[in-house]
């Protein structure tokens, strides 16, 4: 079998190299096709409206669309709102999920398995699925149209608890015991031993969480109704509604602008992004 | 660690997470169930017990049936396409092809962008006559198409966007799994003269099975959970041709303010997700070993 494989090769080599070339072309075509929509958006955003469907390599570049978009809606405020929202969510997630993950990783208590299953349920039933009932809760709490309303349902995340628990389980028990002997309490051990050893997981979870909440639309759309709380996604949705009759080039500029921080971050730290998503995905 | 003191410590550590999860997942799920048996309170008129009336109405509601059918088509159409493409992408990026980091970037980029932003860009692509798609097709003799305004193409247009947006995300999981496969396997196979297709079919694909199942479940959940593009592109139209279940819940709850009916609709979605959860935790996890 080995022999035929070896002797077969030269005979087929011309045909093989042809198909290899076709295959390579297919791969690059797929890559080009995938990035095309984004390139097109960049083209529209940086050219005057008359070049929306006219291609001219020497068409004059302009930042006018960005200026127009920026002036047409309170994007500065939206950026601030998104920034505050993400900071609040991420900080709470880190604290709340770390505590819970530690309990699941290192403590034995009654009902542990059932509680863990109940936590994992949130992986399936995400807060936006229950938006009608959650909206009612926010009305009762009197927090409609606040950062708190947008953030509360996401602060305890099953995904985060699960991810950190897996990380904590790999921490050697001896380190835990040693810290205990030195008189450290549960919180001290957590902060001195577990958190520092799980730093890559925090980075991974942080990146995944930031890109999720930067992009989240439905729940913020439901619980906000004013410029002073709306995040970027909702702001863009209000700005680009078809009945507003805004030019495509300006919409493209606004769309790129709202994605810019994530986009630039991704282009600069591509490896970290991809690795983070990988780390978060392997269970 | 056991003992009463440790029990207390454990519960104190869990407290914030348990309270928040219960408040925004478990309690609302139960409340949705209860509310689905009541009419919607209007003004001073309180909610009245209606038994299974809401569910009976649902079966006679053509929009609900359309949403359910559309969602089934949407899932059956997008899930296998996204999984197939993501696997292909991962194989490409994991090979020795030149420029693979550029390819990886190109595949992954849509994942990082907000759906609302890309949907607005695609809204332009789908513009009849003027948009990119019609411009590209025109030289080949295609007539102007109202992609989003025609009931026969509206849902398909949403599906194409969804596949484009999601495939790169799932690629990451396959890529991670492919990197766990020992290179000595492919060396041995090529020494034995196995074709690449044979090797993929008999070795790579079976080894990727746990990943495929994981991605499958997540892709199905996403097909019920993500409606940002529906809001931007079609708003469920024309004539409910592209409405999805969650979009209809959103409309019922926040456009028509019929919260009782929205609760019953949510129960259908919860039942579907519960069935998925059962399949994942009950059936698949027993057969597939995660690390």
């Amino acid at each position: 079998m080995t022999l035929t494989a070896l002797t077969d090769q030269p005979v087929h080599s011309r045909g093989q190299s042809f198909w290899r070339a076709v295959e390579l072309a297919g791969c690059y075509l797929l890559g080009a096709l995938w990035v095309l929509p984004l390139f097109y958006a960049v083209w529209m955003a940086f050219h005057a409206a008359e070049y929306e469907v006219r291609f001219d390599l020497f068409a004059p570049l302009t930042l006018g669309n960005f200026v127009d978009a920026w002036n047409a809606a309170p994007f500065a405020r939206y950026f601030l709102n998104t920034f505050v929202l993400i900071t609040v969510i991420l900080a709470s997630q880190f604290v709340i999920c770390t505590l819970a993950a530690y309990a699941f990783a290192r403590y034995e208590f009654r009902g542990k398995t059932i509680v863990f299953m109940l936590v994992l349920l949130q992986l399936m039933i995400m807060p936006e699925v229950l938006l009608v009932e959650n909206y009612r809760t926010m009305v009762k709490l009197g927090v409609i149209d606040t950062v708190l309303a947008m953030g509360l349902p996401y602060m305890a995340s099953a995904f985060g608890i699960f991810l950190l628990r897996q990380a904590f389980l790999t921490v050697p028990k001896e380190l835990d015991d040693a810290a205990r002997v030195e008189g450290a309490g549960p919180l001290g051990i957590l902060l001195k031993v577990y958190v520092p050893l799980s730093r890559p997981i925090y980075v991974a979870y942080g990146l995944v969480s930031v890109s999720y909440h930067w992009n989240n639309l439905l729940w913020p759309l439901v619980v906000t109704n004013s410029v002073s709380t709306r995040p970027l996604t909702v702001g863009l949705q209000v700005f680009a509604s078809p009945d507003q009759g805004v030019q495509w080039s300006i919409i493209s500029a606004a769309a790129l602008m709202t994605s810019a921080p994530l986009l630039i971050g991704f282009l600069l730290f591509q490896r970290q992004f991809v690795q983070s998503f990988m780390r978060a995905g392997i269970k | 660690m056991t003992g009463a003191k440790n029990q207390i410590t454990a519960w104190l550590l869990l407290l914030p997470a348990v309270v928040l999860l219960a408040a925004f997942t478990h309690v609302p799920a139960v409340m949705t169930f209860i509310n689905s048996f009541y009419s919607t309170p209007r003004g001073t008129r309180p909610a009245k017990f209606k038994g299974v009336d809401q569910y009976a109405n649902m079966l006679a509601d053509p929009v609900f049936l359309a949403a359910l059918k559309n969602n089934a088509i949407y899932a059956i159409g997008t899930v296998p396409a996204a999984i197939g493409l993501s696997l292909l992408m991962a194989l490409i990026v994991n090979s020795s092809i030149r420029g693979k980091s550029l390819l990886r970037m190109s595949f992954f980029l849509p994942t990082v962008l907000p759906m609302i932003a890309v949907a607005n860009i695609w809204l332009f692509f789908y513009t009849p006559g003027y948009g990119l798609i019609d411009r590209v097709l025109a030289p080949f003799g295609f007539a102007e198409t109202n992609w989003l305004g025609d009931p026969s193409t509206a849902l398909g247009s949403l599906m194409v966007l969804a596949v484009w947006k999601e495939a790169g995300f799932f690629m990451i999981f396959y890529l991670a799994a492919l990197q766990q496969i020992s290179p000595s396997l492919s060396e041995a196979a090529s020494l034995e003269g196995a074709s690449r297709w044979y090797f993929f079919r008999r070795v790579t694909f079976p080894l990727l099975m746990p990943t495929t199942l994981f991605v499958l479940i997540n892709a199905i959940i996403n097909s019920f959970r993500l409606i940002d593009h529906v809001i931007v592109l079609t708003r469920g139209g024309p004539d409910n041709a592209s409405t999805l279940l969650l979009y209809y819940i959103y409309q019922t709850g926040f456009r028509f303010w019929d919260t009782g009916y929205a609760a019953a609709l949510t129960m259908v979605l919860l039942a579907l997700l519960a069935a998925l959860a059962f399949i994942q935790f009950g059936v698949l996890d027993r057969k597939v070993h995660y690390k």
Side-chain angles (χ1 to χ4, degrees):
Chain A
M1 204 170 158
T2 315
L3 200 66
T4 46
L6 285 175
T7 50
D8 270 355
Q9 248 165 7
V11 185
H12 287 291
S13 70
R14 181 167 294 170
Q16 268 176 358
S17 71
F18 171 73
W19 286 115
R20 180 81 192 135
V22 170
E23 196 184 297
L24 278 177
C27 293
Y28 291 123
L29 195 69
L30 188 67
L33 194 67
W34 233 250
V35 83
L36 178 80
L38 190 65
F39 272 167
Y40 202 87
V42 172
W43 169 273
M44 286 202 291
F46 283 100
H47 290 94
E50 62 258 38
Y51 293 102
E52 274 170 9
V53 289
R54 237 179 66 208
F55 299 102
D56 180 355
L57 265 185
F58 301 104
L61 295 170
T62 172
L63 289 174
N65 297 320
F66 288 93
V67 176
D68 288 350
W70 187 263
N71 291 330
F75 278 109
R77 181 71 214 208
Y78 295 156
F79 264 103
L80 178 70
N81 296 342
T82 290
F83 184 76
V84 171
L85 173 67
I86 285 181
T87 313
V88 168
I89 290 183
L90 198 63
S92 332
Q93 281 180 335
F94 275 178
V95 174
I96 292 167
C97 298
T98 301
L99 296 177
Y102 185 46
F104 282 124
R106 283 296 182 254
Y107 283 85
E108 290 307 327
F109 52 92
R110 231 177 299 153
K112 183 175 171 179
T113 320
I114 289 181
V115 177
F116 192 55
M117 291 301 272
L118 284 173
V119 167
L120 290 187
L121 201 66
Q122 199 216 22
L123 290 175
M124 297 281 164
I125 302 167
M126 288 158 162
E128 50 265 29
V129 171
L130 294 162
L131 82 177
V132 177
E133 201 56 47
N134 280 338
Y135 180 84
R136 211 195 284 247
T137 309
M138 294 304 168
V139 172
K140 276 185 206 141
L141 292 175
V143 292
I144 288 295
D145 202 27
T146 62
V147 171
L148 203 60
M150 287 189 281
L152 264 179
Y154 296 100
M155 286 179 182
S157 120
F159 175 65
I161 294 171
F162 186 79
L163 211 59
L164 290 173
R165 168 188 171 264
Q166 299 298 89
F168 291 168
L169 282 174
T170 64
V171 172
K173 199 88 186 357
E174 293 77 37
L175 291 176
D176 189 317
D177 294 337
R180 205 168 294 266
V181 170
E182 284 176 21
L187 286 180
I189 299 170
L190 187 55
L191 284 176
K192 281 192 206 114
V193 179
Y194 287 87
V195 174
L197 285 173
S198 312
R199 257 186 63 190
I201 296 297
Y202 280 98
V203 174
Y205 177 48
L207 275 177
V208 172
S209 178
V210 166
S211 43
Y212 184 92
H213 290 287
W214 191 284
N215 299 341
N216 201 12
L217 172 74
L218 188 59
W219 176 245
L221 179 67
V222 165
V223 290
T224 62
N225 50 36
S226 72
V227 167
S228 54
T229 40
R230 238 175 240 156
L232 273 170
T233 45
V234 180
L236 181 63
Q237 157 67 9
V238 172
F239 171 70
S241 292
D243 28 285
Q244 303 268 0
V246 189
Q247 268 172 356
W248 289 116
S249 44
I250 297 178
I251 291 186
S252 291
L256 283 181
M257 202 161 67
T258 54
S259 332
L262 279 188
L263 199 58
I264 293 167
F266 171 65
L267 293 177
L268 288 178
F269 303 105
Q270 203 209 136
R271 188 173 286 275
Q272 284 88 333
F273 254 89
V274 172
Q275 273 173 356
S276 292
F277 275 78
M278 271 192 198
R279 235 183 231 127
I282 308 172
K283 296 187 172 180
Chain B
M1 279 170 269
T2 43
K5 193 171 161 242
N6 280 320
Q7 293 261 346
I8 294 168
T9 316
W11 278 105
L12 283 177
L13 289 168
L14 281 175
L15 193 66
V18 166
V19 168
L20 282 168
L21 281 170
F24 297 105
T25 303
H26 305 93
V27 172
V30 174
M31 287 308 290
T32 302
F33 180 66
I34 294 172
N35 286 333
S36 71
F37 298 108
Y38 285 86
S39 67
T40 304
R42 305 252 183 220
T44 53
R45 202 151 31 100
K48 266 205 309 221
F49 184 76
K50 290 277 186 184
V52 293
D53 275 12
Q54 304 278 21
Y55 293 93
N57 292 342
M58 209 189 291
L59 290 176
D61 175 5
V63 184
F64 164 71
L65 296 176
L68 207 58
K69 193 183 111 199
N70 288 341
N71 225 144
I73 296 172
Y74 182 87
I76 292 168
T78 56
V79 172
I83 291 181
L85 274 166
S86 62
L87 179 52
L88 180 66
M89 288 170 175
L91 289 170
I92 291 174
V93 170
N94 198 47
S95 74
S96 52
I97 192 169
R98 221 179 294 166
K100 62 179 169 183
S101 70
L102 271 180
L103 283 170
R104 186 180 62 190
M105 191 178 80
S106 152
F107 295 146
F108 191 66
L109 263 177
T111 297
V112 207
L113 303 174
M115 182 56 131
I116 167 88
V118 297
N120 272 297
I121 293 164
W122 281 66
L123 191 59
F124 167 75
F125 294 166
Y126 285 132
T127 309
Y130 188 68
L132 184 66
I133 295 178
D134 270 3
R135 292 259 162 181
V136 169
L137 291 180
F140 301 100
F142 284 88
E144 189 179 307
T145 312
N146 190 355
W147 297 101
L148 300 171
D150 185 330
S152 62
T153 50
L155 186 61
S157 303
L158 293 179
M159 289 161 64
V160 171
L161 169 57
V163 170
W164 174 75
K165 179 87 169 72
E166 295 227 293
F169 179 57
F170 297 135
M171 168 190 80
I172 297 294
F173 300 113
Y174 276 121
L175 204 51
L178 280 173
Q179 289 175 356
Q180 310 281 316
I181 296 177
S182 159
S184 60
L185 284 175
S186 75
E187 282 159 20
S190 69
L191 277 178
E192 289 290 336
S195 74
R196 281 191 308 158
W197 170 240
Y198 183 84
F199 180 71
F200 173 76
R201 210 159 39 88
R202 301 304 292 266
V203 181
T204 315
F205 190 69
L207 283 174
L208 290 177
M209 214 50 194
T211 313
T212 303
L213 294 172
F214 171 77
V215 168
L216 180 71
I217 297 282
N218 277 287
I220 299 175
I221 294 176
N222 278 352
S223 71
F224 286 106
R225 189 177 66 83
L226 268 180
I227 55 161
D228 299 6
H229 50 325
V230 184
I231 295 176
V232 176
L233 292 178
T234 65
R235 300 184 180 187
D239 198 17
N240 300 309
S242 65
T243 195
L244 299 178
L245 196 50
L246 184 57
Y247 185 76
Y248 188 42
I249 293 172
Y250 164 71
Q251 262 191 326
T252 310
F254 298 99
R255 289 285 168 272
F256 317 141
W257 296 101
D258 188 351
T259 48
Y261 191 46
L265 291 170
T266 306
M267 282 316 295
V268 175
L269 186 53
L270 286 180
L272 286 166
L273 291 171
L276 272 178
F278 178 76
I279 293 170
Q280 180 169 31
F281 293 124
V283 183
L284 297 183
D285 268 12
R286 240 176 276 155
K287 292 194 180 151
V288 180
H289 294 282
Y290 295 104
K291 256 198 251 175

